[in-house]
């Protein structure tokens, strides 16, 4: 109609076409940011469950930890654009957060373990706890002290006395202690299972094979060039698909000249990729480990003033390749990336962002697309067509780029202002290569990203009686397109607050199995204020709540009569 006002609408992110280096500068601070979030969130989960068992909830300690975590995500600090003293001060805060959350977590996990009947006919019990709200089968590291010397002949049994794949990595016969890898199966959702380490070798099946420079299990086959250290083949057996473009170098390290015209620590300029060096010569490529649990190829390189060590690891039963990095970095105005030239291609790559994902173009068709030559992400980025894809998962990085069929992860920078020594020194970090069929939704890349960041936690416990069984889930959340991100005691009253989000764009009926005894439930705001009608809690354990596509949902569960009077169920 006449006089109607047309309001321009921008249907995309508000991408800042500036300061792209802030995703990468001050790498150790970036790692501290990621790690500390996980420390506090896990501590909240464990402390909440222990609170239901009558333990006091460490609200003051957790609040102080959150204050330190969030203070050090102030924009200049998080951006890596502070002076050196800023990061020394931040490191002291992070050290305190790590100590405090470890104290909270260990106290809570010990309280939970005390309620478990860990007795067995023989062997040493080890509790393996899963901090995520879905069942997991994966490798966990275990440290255990046996009552007597067992040489290296020890085995691990699950709660049903089935032999689990395991491998001793190191041992000290004087103290009878062992550091080992165990492939635990079906660890319950936000719960635990108790395994037992017993003396004597017991046979188990391993799907891991090594043939020359090819590592293989039932899911993947990966081949490494012994001269360059390049991954020349990453073959997904499920879809019978070669992930890497023929003739390309997978996991190619590239050093780009990085001389921004201004704002050294803040910026990466659009022409950064014009001058570069491919680190395609290896000092050595060695198969350093060939056990039943993992095969490890170590690639070492030197370039200019720096040394690069990468362990390419394939685990028994795993559907991804892990890359563990030890880099002694002493460059100036260099940007280091790891690149993958893929068989699959698409006009857009997908990146994880807080509580969701975003598609960004791999083309440079206009000025807006051209500006996105470096973009931020959380735990992963994915490049897929409709049938096949590849997810590049990280544990402490935030900068990616994708162009045509090439996906790259930014690893390190080396600006000189305002910190003239930014990032010089030793760095240890990992990332993972996850080839898959279908798109990232079908491949459950969201879960893979959480799994890679939120590790299973194993601790030796005493053998004793208890009311809880050898395996138990405290909280489950279904369907699989829902992620439970937080479990904490409510700020007011005696309740638990569960926070979750939907990631696939599908409205769903969320079914939550909770610790027993809840008398009611309520949807709340992010500030824990009640919204809407009360929710029914069936048999004190099950609650169903609708969730809209991409919605963040918070649920309060009330336990008014339980504090100090209950035992976990």
């Amino acid at each position: 109609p006449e006089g109607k006002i047309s309001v321009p609408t921008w249907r995309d992110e508000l991408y800042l076409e500036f300061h792209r280096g802030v995703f990468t500068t001050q790498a150790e601070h970036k790692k501290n940011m990621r790690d500390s979030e996980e420390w506090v969130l896990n501590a909240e989960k464990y402390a909440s469950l222990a609170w239901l068992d009558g333990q006091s909830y460490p609200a003051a300690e957790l609040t102080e930890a959150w204050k330190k975590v969030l203070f050090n995500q102030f924009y200049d600090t998080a951006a890596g654009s502070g002076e050196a003293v800023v990061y020394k001060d931040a490191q002291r805060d992070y050290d305190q957060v790590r100590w405090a959350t470890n104290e909270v977590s260990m106290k809570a996990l010990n309280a939970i373990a005390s309620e478990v009947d860990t007795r067995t006919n023989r062997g040493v019990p080890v509790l393996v706890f899963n901090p995520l709200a879905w069942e997991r089968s994966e490798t966990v590291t275990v440290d255990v002290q046996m009552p007597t010397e067992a040489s290296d002949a020890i085995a691990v049994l699950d709660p049903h006395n089935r032999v689990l794949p395991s491998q001793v990595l190191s041992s000290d016969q004087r103290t009878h202690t062992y550091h080992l890898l165990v492939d635990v199966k079906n660890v319950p959702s936000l719960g635990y299972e108790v395994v037992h380490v017993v003396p004597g070798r017991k046979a188990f099946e391993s799907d891991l094979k090594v043939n020359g420079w090819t590592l293989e299990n039932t899911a993947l086959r990966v081949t490494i060039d012994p001269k360059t250290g390049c991954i020349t083949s990453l073959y997904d057996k499920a879809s019978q698909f070669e992930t890497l473009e023929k003739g390309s170098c997978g996991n190619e390290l590239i050093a780009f000249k990085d001389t921004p015209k201004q704002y050294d620590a803040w910026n990466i300029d659009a022409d950064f990729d014009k001058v570069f060096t491919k680190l395609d010569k290896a000092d050595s490529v060695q198969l350093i480990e060939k056990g039943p649990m993992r095969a490890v190829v170590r690639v070492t390189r030197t370039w200019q003033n720096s040394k690069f060590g990468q362990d390419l690891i394939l685990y028994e039963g795993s559907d991804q390749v892990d890359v563990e990095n030890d880099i002694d970095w002493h460059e100036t105005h260099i940007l280091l990336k790891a690149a993958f030239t893929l068989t699959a291609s698409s006009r857009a790559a997908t990146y994880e962002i807080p509580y969701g994902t975003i598609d960004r173009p791999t083309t440079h068709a206009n000025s807006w697309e051209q500006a996105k030559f470096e973009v931020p992400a959380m735990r992963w980025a994915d490049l897929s067509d409709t049938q096949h894809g590849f997810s590049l998962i990280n544990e402490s990085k935030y900068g990616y780029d994708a162009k045509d069929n090439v996906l790259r992860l930014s690893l390190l920078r080396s600006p000189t202002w305002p910190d003239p020594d930014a990032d010089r020194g030793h760095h240890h970090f990992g990332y993972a290569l996850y080839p898959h069929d279908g798109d990232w939704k079908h491949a459950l890349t969201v879960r893979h990203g959480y799994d890679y960041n939120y590790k299973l936690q194993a601790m030796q416990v005493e053998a004793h009686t208890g009311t809880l069984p050898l395996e138990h889930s405290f909280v489950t959340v279904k369907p699989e397109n829902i992620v439970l991100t937080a479990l904490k005691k409510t700020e007011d009253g005696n309740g638990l607050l569960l926070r979750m989000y939907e990631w696939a764009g599908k409205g769903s009926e969320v079914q939550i199995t909770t610790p027993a005894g809840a008398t009611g439930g309520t949807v709340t705001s992010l500030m824990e204020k009640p919204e809407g009608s009360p929710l029914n809690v069936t048999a004190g354990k099950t609650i169903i709540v609708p969730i809209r596509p991409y919605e963040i949902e918070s649920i309060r569960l009330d336990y008014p009569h339980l504090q100090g009077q209950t035992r976990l169920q």
Side-chain angles (χ1 to χ4, degrees):
E2 186 176 351
K4 182 178 179 181
I5 298 175
S6 176
V7 179
T9 302
W10 179 259
R11 297 187 182 277
D12 198 0
E13 63 183 316
L14 296 177
Y15 176 82
L16 176 66
E17 297 184 2
F18 207 39
H19 291 350
R20 299 167 183 87
V22 300
F23 314 146
T24 303
T25 308
Q26 295 288 357
E28 194 61 29
H29 188 81
K30 299 294 196 291
K31 188 175 191 305
N32 277 329
M33 286 167 56
R34 179 77 59 83
D35 288 346
S36 62
E37 292 171 358
E38 294 163 5
W39 299 335
V40 186
L41 287 168
N42 281 346
E44 284 182 339
K45 294 172 188 174
Y46 305 151
S48 298
L49 296 173
W51 170 72
L52 291 178
D53 190 43
Q55 305 295 315
S56 60
Y57 188 75
E61 292 90 335
L62 290 169
T63 297
E64 185 60 30
W66 273 123
K67 286 180 179 179
K68 286 183 169 63
V69 169
L70 297 177
F71 176 80
N72 285 294
Q73 290 184 11
F74 166 70
Y75 70 88
D76 269 333
T77 311
S81 55
E83 297 182 357
V85 66
V86 170
Y87 299 100
K88 292 179 181 179
D89 187 63
Q91 186 62 58
R92 287 191 289 269
D93 279 351
Y94 285 124
D95 291 342
Q96 292 178 32
V97 171
R98 183 164 195 163
W99 180 86
T101 54
N102 185 66
E103 288 291 302
V104 169
S105 292
M106 288 301 98
K107 182 179 179 181
L109 288 173
N110 282 320
I112 294 168
S114 70
E115 298 297 328
V116 180
D117 190 339
T118 56
R119 293 173 299 173
T120 184
N121 293 332
R122 57 197 178 98
V124 175
V126 173
L127 183 141
V128 180
F129 204 94
N130 173 13
L132 297 175
W134 53 81
E135 186 177 272
R136 297 165 70 184
S137 297
E138 57 194 65
T139 301
V140 64
T141 56
V142 173
D143 291 296
V144 64
Q145 184 173 37
M146 301 297 287
T148 59
E149 184 176 344
S151 183
D152 279 348
I154 59 177
V156 184
L157 306 178
D158 76 358
H160 307 283
N161 289 319
R162 294 174 296 211
V163 180
L164 294 171
S166 63
Q167 176 182 333
V168 175
L169 298 179
S170 62
S171 62
D172 185 340
Q173 296 305 317
R174 295 172 303 165
T175 57
H176 312 153
T177 55
Y178 298 83
H179 180 63
L180 61 156
L181 289 173
V182 183
D183 186 5
V184 290
K185 309 293 185 182
N186 308 118
V187 183
S189 165
L190 222 169
Y192 67 86
E193 71 178 34
V194 177
V195 301
H196 288 87
V197 183
V198 297
R201 184 169 284 110
K202 294 183 181 294
F204 58 83
E205 293 292 326
S206 171
D207 68 349
L208 189 60
K209 300 176 183 177
V210 177
N211 182 14
W213 298 102
T214 297
L215 317 179
E216 184 174 3
N217 62 18
T218 54
L220 299 178
R221 185 172 67 241
V222 55
T223 302
I224 299 152
D225 187 313
K227 294 181 179 179
T228 64
C230 294
I231 299 176
T232 57
S233 175
L234 182 56
Y235 185 76
D236 177 28
K237 292 186 177 182
S239 61
Q240 299 181 340
F241 187 73
E242 174 55 60
T243 303
L244 301 176
E245 186 177 84
K246 186 176 181 180
S248 71
C249 174
N251 192 45
E252 184 174 44
L253 294 182
I254 308 176
F256 296 92
K257 185 180 179 182
D258 182 23
T259 53
K261 295 179 180 65
Q262 55 181 322
Y263 293 112
D264 202 16
W266 290 258
N267 283 2
I268 296 173
D269 285 355
D271 61 354
F272 82 91
D273 58 352
K274 295 297 188 292
V275 180
F276 60 87
T277 302
K278 294 184 176 182
L279 308 189
D280 54 4
K281 294 180 176 61
D283 295 343
S284 66
V285 180
Q286 298 176 301
L287 179 67
I288 64 168
E289 198 170 308
K290 183 184 176 182
M293 284 294 298
R294 70 181 181 188
V296 183
V297 172
R298 177 164 295 169
V299 180
T300 59
R301 297 181 174 90
T302 54
W303 178 72
Q304 297 194 156
N305 302 309
S306 300
K307 296 179 181 179
F308 306 82
Q310 290 190 304
D311 286 352
L312 309 178
I313 308 170
L314 183 63
Y315 287 94
E316 186 269 346
S318 178
D319 56 4
Q320 67 185 36
V321 176
D322 288 20
V323 182
E324 291 293 326
N325 302 269
D326 277 292
I327 299 177
D328 192 20
W329 182 245
H330 296 282
E331 302 307 318
T332 297
H333 289 131
I334 297 293
L335 167 62
L336 182 69
K337 284 178 173 279
F340 300 84
T341 304
L342 307 174
T343 305
S345 63
S346 172
R347 291 183 60 82
T350 304
Y351 302 84
E352 187 187 40
I353 59 177
Y355 293 93
T357 56
I358 190 169
D359 290 345
R360 297 184 176 116
T362 60
T363 54
H364 287 185
N366 54 52
S367 62
W368 300 317
E369 293 184 0
Q370 291 166 11
K372 295 183 179 181
F373 59 82
E374 179 84 355
V375 296
M378 293 290 287
R379 284 166 281 261
W380 56 267
D382 181 271
L383 187 56
S384 302
D385 56 27
T386 56
Q387 295 180 304
H388 307 281
F390 172 77
S391 299
L392 182 51
I393 303 169
N394 77 83
E395 64 177 1
S396 61
K397 302 300 175 183
Y398 295 90
Y400 284 86
D401 77 280
K403 183 178 180 182
D404 300 326
N405 65 328
V406 179
L407 182 62
R408 300 188 297 207
L409 175 66
S410 295
L411 305 181
L412 292 168
R413 295 188 70 219
S414 47
T416 58
W417 179 77
D419 178 2
D421 298 315
D423 286 327
R424 278 68 163 184
H426 179 259
H427 298 269
H428 179 83
F429 57 88
Y431 52 88
L433 322 178
Y434 175 40
H436 56 79
D437 63 345
D439 64 8
W440 63 271
K441 294 181 182 180
H442 172 79
L444 297 178
T445 292
V446 171
R447 285 193 172 189
H448 272 69
Y450 274 94
D451 288 341
Y452 190 64
N453 279 261
Y454 289 82
K455 309 293 188 186
L456 297 175
Q457 187 164 354
M459 54 184 285
Q460 182 175 339
V461 294
E462 298 292 330
H464 51 65
T465 61
T467 58
L468 289 175
L470 289 174
E471 52 186 345
H472 183 67
S473 169
F474 295 108
V475 179
T476 60
V477 178
K478 297 179 179 180
E480 61 191 12
N481 57 308
I482 310 298
V483 173
L484 178 75
T485 60
L487 173 71
K488 61 182 287 290
K489 182 184 177 297
T490 53
E491 297 299 307
D492 299 323
N494 293 334
L496 288 184
L497 196 286
L498 288 75
R499 182 155 293 134
M500 63 201 73
Y501 74 98
E502 196 285 321
W503 54 258
K506 298 188 300 185
S508 304
E509 291 288 319
V510 183
Q511 180 174 315
I512 307 167
T513 304
T514 73
T519 59
T522 312
V523 174
T524 76
S525 68
L526 292 175
M527 299 300 292
E528 303 185 17
K529 302 300 182 184
E531 295 180 343
S533 303
L535 300 170
N536 292 323
V537 182
T538 307
K541 292 205 70 169
T542 303
I543 192 168
I544 295 176
V545 60
I547 194 169
R548 294 187 293 270
Y550 307 115
E551 184 176 17
I552 303 171
E553 191 77 282
S554 300
I555 308 294
R556 177 190 174 110
L557 298 173
D558 291 314
Y559 293 84
H561 58 292
L562 290 183
Q563 189 172 16
Q565 302 178 30
T566 188
R567 286 294 177 260
L568 286 165
Q569 296 181 51

